[in-house]
Amino acid sequence: MSAPVRLSVMGAGLIGKRHIEHILARPEAVLSSIIDPTPAARELAVSLNVDWFPSFQDMLCENRPEGVDSPSITMTPIE
């Protein structure tokens, strides 16, 4: 069996939390970090024992997941 794919989620709002739940439920994936500047997102990351970053750039400096999930109703591009 291969090692689980390390994924970060950018945005821990309503939709982001659902994506996090799905990642945590999959044995072939592991939540690497949450990227979201809000205090609530930081608290969620602490409660899940995963890294937290306030920005995508901050995450790139310290944590290199295999993928980044960017759940959004507006599908805002990452710059």
Side-chain angles (χ1 to χ4, degrees), residues 22-33:
H22 286 282
I23 291 168
L24 294 173
R26 305 299 305 191
E28 64 272 14
V30 64
L31 182 63
S32 175
S33 66

Side-chain angles (χ1 to χ4, degrees), residues 2 4 7 10 14 20 27-29 35 43 52 54-55 58 61 68 70 75-76 78:
S2 300
L7 299 171
M10 183 182 294
L14 184 63
I20 289 167
E28 64 272 14
I35 307 160
E43 290 174 18
W52 168 83
S55 73
D58 290 331
C61 292
V68 176
S70 178
M75 300 304 286
T76 305
I78 300 170

Side-chain angles (χ1 to χ4, degrees), residues 4-59:
V5 175
R6 294 175 58 246
L7 299 171
S8 291
V9 173
M10 183 182 294
L14 184 63
I15 297 171
K17 287 179 186 170
R18 293 277 299 178
H19 286 232
I20 289 167
E21 290 172 6
H22 286 282
I23 291 168
L24 294 173
R26 305 299 305 191
E28 64 272 14
V30 64
L31 182 63
S32 175
S33 66
I34 295 173
I35 307 160
D36 185 316
T38 65
R42 185 176 193 165
E43 290 174 18
L44 178 60
V46 168
S47 75
L48 296 174
N49 198 33
V50 299
D51 291 338
W52 168 83
F53 299 98
S55 73
F56 185 74
Q57 289 297 87
D58 290 331
M59 185 273 300

